[in-house]
Protein backbone atom coordinates (compact mmCIF):
# COMPACT_ATOMS: atom_id res chain seq x y z
CA UNK A 1 0.00 0.00 0.00
CA UNK A 2 2.78 2.46 0.94
CA UNK A 3 4.59 1.72 -2.31
CA UNK A 4 1.42 2.36 -4.34
CA UNK A 5 0.66 5.63 -2.56
CA UNK A 6 4.29 6.70 -2.82
CA UNK A 7 4.38 5.97 -6.56
CA UNK A 8 1.11 7.84 -7.03
CA UNK A 9 2.46 10.90 -5.26
CA UNK A 10 5.74 10.73 -7.17
CA UNK A 11 3.89 10.52 -10.49
CA UNK A 12 1.63 13.42 -9.52
CA UNK A 13 4.62 15.61 -8.60
CA UNK A 14 6.48 14.58 -11.74
CA UNK A 15 3.41 15.22 -13.93
CA UNK A 16 3.01 18.68 -12.45
CA UNK A 17 6.64 19.54 -12.99
CA UNK A 18 7.47 19.15 -9.31
CA UNK A 19 7.45 22.88 -8.66
CA UNK A 20 5.12 25.35 -7.02
CA UNK A 21 5.61 28.18 -9.49
CA UNK A 22 3.10 30.99 -9.84
CA UNK A 23 1.97 29.88 -13.29
CA UNK A 24 1.14 26.39 -12.03
CA UNK A 25 -0.85 27.82 -9.13
CA UNK A 26 -2.69 30.17 -11.51
CA UNK A 27 -3.43 27.26 -13.87
CA UNK A 28 -4.80 25.23 -10.95
CA UNK A 29 -7.00 28.13 -9.84
CA UNK A 30 -8.34 28.59 -13.37
CA UNK A 31 -9.05 24.85 -13.63
CA UNK A 32 -10.92 24.95 -10.31
CA UNK A 33 -13.00 27.94 -11.47
CA UNK A 34 -13.77 26.26 -14.78
CA UNK A 35 -14.83 23.09 -12.94
CA UNK A 36 -17.41 24.98 -10.86
CA UNK A 37 -20.57 25.45 -12.90
CA UNK A 38 -21.89 29.00 -12.72
CA UNK A 39 -24.91 29.41 -10.49
CA UNK A 40 -26.92 32.08 -8.75
CA UNK A 41 -28.89 31.75 -5.53
CA UNK A 42 -31.45 34.09 -4.06
CA UNK A 43 -30.33 34.00 -0.42
CA UNK A 44 -32.92 36.42 0.94
CA UNK A 45 -35.78 36.20 1.32
CA UNK A 46 -35.91 32.42 1.60
CA UNK A 47 -38.03 30.37 -0.76
CA UNK A 48 -41.56 30.28 0.62
CA UNK A 49 -40.98 33.23 2.96
CA UNK A 50 -43.84 35.44 4.07
CA UNK A 51 -42.90 39.12 3.98
CA UNK A 52 -44.70 42.37 4.70
CA UNK A 53 -46.09 44.44 1.82
CA UNK A 54 -43.91 47.32 0.73
CA UNK A 55 -40.16 47.25 0.17
CA UNK A 56 -38.65 43.75 -0.08
CA UNK A 57 -34.88 43.26 -0.18
CA UNK A 58 -33.58 40.51 -2.47
CA UNK A 59 -30.00 39.28 -2.03
CA UNK A 60 -28.22 37.19 -4.67
CA UNK A 61 -25.00 35.21 -4.45
CA UNK A 62 -23.12 33.61 -7.33
CA UNK A 63 -20.56 30.87 -7.80
CA UNK A 64 -18.38 30.24 -10.81
CA UNK A 65 -18.65 33.74 -12.32
CA UNK A 66 -17.95 37.36 -11.52
CA UNK A 67 -20.68 39.99 -11.30
CA UNK A 68 -19.70 43.04 -13.37
CA UNK A 69 -21.54 46.15 -14.61
CA UNK A 70 -23.79 45.88 -17.68
CA UNK A 71 -21.79 46.34 -20.85
CA UNK A 72 -19.00 44.01 -19.70
CA UNK A 73 -18.69 41.19 -22.22
CA UNK A 74 -15.78 39.26 -20.68
CA UNK A 75 -16.11 35.49 -20.40
CA UNK A 76 -17.12 34.33 -16.93
CA UNK A 77 -18.93 37.58 -16.09
CA UNK A 78 -22.51 38.82 -15.98
CA UNK A 79 -24.95 40.96 -14.03
CA UNK A 80 -28.16 40.29 -12.11
CA UNK A 81 -31.80 40.65 -13.13
CA UNK A 82 -34.94 39.90 -11.13
CA UNK A 83 -38.14 38.88 -12.84
CA UNK A 84 -41.35 39.03 -10.81
CA UNK A 85 -44.32 37.00 -12.06
CA UNK A 86 -42.89 37.03 -15.56
CA UNK A 87 -41.10 34.70 -17.91
CA UNK A 88 -37.63 34.57 -19.42
CA UNK A 89 -36.90 34.34 -23.14
CA UNK A 90 -33.50 32.68 -22.87
CA UNK A 91 -32.40 33.85 -26.34
CA UNK A 92 -33.32 37.54 -26.15
CA UNK A 93 -32.22 40.49 -24.01
CA UNK A 94 -34.20 40.82 -20.81
CA UNK A 95 -36.69 43.66 -21.32
CA UNK A 96 -37.07 46.62 -18.99
CA UNK A 97 -40.71 46.28 -17.92
CA UNK A 98 -41.42 48.22 -14.73
CA UNK A 99 -42.90 45.93 -12.11
CA UNK A 100 -41.76 42.74 -13.87
CA UNK A 101 -38.11 42.95 -15.01
CA UNK A 102 -35.53 44.63 -12.78
CA UNK A 103 -31.96 45.24 -13.99
CA UNK A 104 -28.96 45.52 -11.70
CA UNK A 105 -26.59 46.96 -14.27
CA UNK A 106 -24.19 48.48 -11.75
CA UNK A 107 -23.09 45.03 -10.52
CA UNK A 108 -25.38 45.12 -7.50
CA UNK A 109 -25.88 41.89 -5.57
CA UNK A 110 -28.83 43.27 -3.58
CA UNK A 111 -31.97 44.96 -4.84
CA UNK A 112 -35.05 46.34 -3.10
CA UNK A 113 -38.37 46.11 -4.87
CA UNK A 114 -40.25 49.02 -3.38
CA UNK A 115 -43.84 48.12 -4.18
CA UNK A 116 -44.44 44.40 -3.67
CA UNK A 117 -48.21 43.96 -3.54
CA UNK A 118 -49.94 41.37 -1.32
CA UNK A 119 -50.16 37.88 -2.76
CA UNK A 120 -47.93 35.05 -3.91
CA UNK A 121 -45.10 36.03 -6.27
CA UNK A 122 -42.67 33.95 -8.33
CA UNK A 123 -39.27 35.66 -8.43
CA UNK A 124 -36.55 34.55 -10.85
CA UNK A 125 -32.95 35.71 -10.52
CA UNK A 126 -31.19 35.56 -13.91
CA UNK A 127 -27.57 36.40 -14.67
CA UNK A 128 -27.14 37.92 -18.13
CA UNK A 129 -24.22 39.11 -20.21
CA UNK A 130 -23.28 42.72 -20.84
CA UNK A 131 -26.15 43.26 -23.30
CA UNK A 132 -28.76 41.63 -21.02
CA UNK A 133 -28.98 38.27 -22.81
CA UNK A 134 -29.26 35.42 -20.26
CA UNK A 135 -26.09 33.36 -20.00
CA UNK A 136 -25.94 30.04 -21.83
CA UNK A 137 -26.21 27.64 -20.11
CA UNK A 138 -28.80 29.49 -18.01
CA UNK A 139 -27.73 30.80 -14.62
CA UNK A 140 -30.99 31.28 -12.72
CA UNK A 141 -32.77 30.61 -9.44
CA UNK A 142 -36.50 30.75 -8.72
CA UNK A 143 -38.25 31.31 -5.41
CA UNK A 144 -41.79 32.02 -4.31
CA UNK A 145 -42.56 34.69 -1.73
CA UNK A 146 -45.88 35.53 -0.13
CA UNK A 147 -46.46 39.21 0.54
CA UNK A 148 -49.00 39.88 3.30
Amino acid sequence: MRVTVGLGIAMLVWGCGGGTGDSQEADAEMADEAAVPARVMITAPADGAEVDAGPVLFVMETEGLEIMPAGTMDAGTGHHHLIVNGDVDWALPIPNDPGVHYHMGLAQTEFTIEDMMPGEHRVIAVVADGVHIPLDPPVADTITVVVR
Side-chain angles (χ1 to χ4, degrees), residues 1 10 25 37 47 54 72 86 99 106 108 124 130:
M1 177 79 172
E25 289 174 15
D47 186 27
T72 304
L106 300 177
Q108 304 98 305
I124 307 170

Side-chain angles (χ1 to χ4, degrees), residues 24-45:
Q24 287 177 342
E25 289 174 15
D27 289 346
E29 285 180 29
M30 286 178 26
D32 286 346
E33 288 177 12
V36 175
R39 64 180 241 171
V40 63
M41 296 85 47
I42 300 172
T43 59

Side-chain angles (χ1 to χ4, degrees), residues 88-114:
V88 179
D89 185 330
W90 299 100
L92 296 176
I94 296 172
N96 196 5
D97 302 335
V100 178
H101 297 92
Y102 298 89
H103 294 258
M104 282 142 271
L106 300 177
Q108 304 98 305
T109 58
E110 298 182 354
F111 189 81
T112 299
I113 297 178
E114 297 292 338

Side-chain angles (χ1 to χ4, degrees), residues 36-99:
V36 175
R39 64 180 241 171
V40 63
M41 296 85 47
I42 300 172
T43 59
D47 186 27
E50 291 189 17
V51 298
D52 292 329
V56 178
L57 174 66
F58 290 87
V59 180
M60 286 79 56
E61 292 182 9
T62 59
E63 293 178 356
L65 60 91
E66 185 176 0
I67 298 301
M68 299 292 288
T72 304
M73 294 298 292
D74 297 334
T77 68
H79 66 279
H80 291 292
H81 297 80
L82 287 175
I83 299 155
V84 179
N85 300 324
D87 293 313
V88 179
D89 185 330
W90 299 100
L92 296 176
I94 296 172
N96 196 5
D97 302 335

